[in-house]
Amino acid sequence: MISKSDIHQVEGATVRDRNGASVGKVTQVFPSDEDGSAAYVSVATGALGRREAIVPVEDATFDGTALHVGYTKDAIKGAPVLGPEHTLSRTGANAVRKHFGLSPVGKAIGDMGDPHENLDPAGTGLPGTDDTEGAGTTPPA
């Protein structure tokens, strides 16, 4: 996670994919509505850096010079792009999340893919329904 205080350091950083390959440079950071941490970045890709792909960065790490994301270079290069107005709408964010196989904004789902599952990692919900139920297993058919 890129905290609110680190957002300005990430701007202009090299983006590296999950294999360490350079993908491009961060051109813009889009903070989350919840806490102001970075939610997405636009990445200038291609030979001239004219295409700005949008990438979710909830699980990204920043080492001071490079932003490391958990996606492949090909997935990033195929991601939805930033429009001419340089803003990211909820619809645009959901298109990005769909491209990367993430749940839509505001639609958290549990480890088994059940939107009705109790997402309480503290385990204060009903027995057997906390967030760790079935972790690491395949969802039932």
Side-chain angles (χ1 to χ4, degrees):
M1 181 173 91
I2 310 305
S3 69
K4 185 177 180 177
S5 62
D6 292 334
I7 284 179
H8 293 294
Q9 294 177 339
V10 172
E11 292 172 346
T14 298
V15 175
R16 298 204 174 272
D17 77 353
R18 69 177 177 201
N19 300 315
S22 178
V23 179
K25 298 269 186 194
V26 173
T27 56
Q28 191 171 350
V29 179
F30 299 90
S32 73
D33 292 333
E34 292 84 36
D35 63 4
S37 65
Y40 305 90
V41 296
S42 60
V43 181
T45 63
L48 300 175
R50 291 189 178 152
R51 185 179 189 283
E52 291 186 54
I54 306 297
V55 180
V57 293
E58 295 149 349
D59 296 330
T61 58
F62 181 62
D63 66 11
T65 58
L67 181 66
H68 300 269
V69 297
Y71 308 106
T72 64
K73 189 173 188 173
D74 288 340
I76 294 167
K77 288 190 173 211
V81 297
L82 191 59
E85 66 281 350
H86 293 279
T87 60
L88 184 60
S89 67
R90 185 178 184 105
T91 302
N94 281 329
V96 169
R97 295 183 68 77
K98 182 178 181 180
H99 173 80
F100 287 103
L102 302 171
S103 60
V105 173
K107 300 262 185 178
I109 59 171
D111 55 18
M112 297 299 286
D114 180 0
H116 304 292
E117 180 180 359
N118 177 6
L119 297 175
D120 181 11
T124 56
L126 296 172
T129 60
D130 71 328
D131 193 40
T132 59
E133 173 199 355
T137 63
T138 304

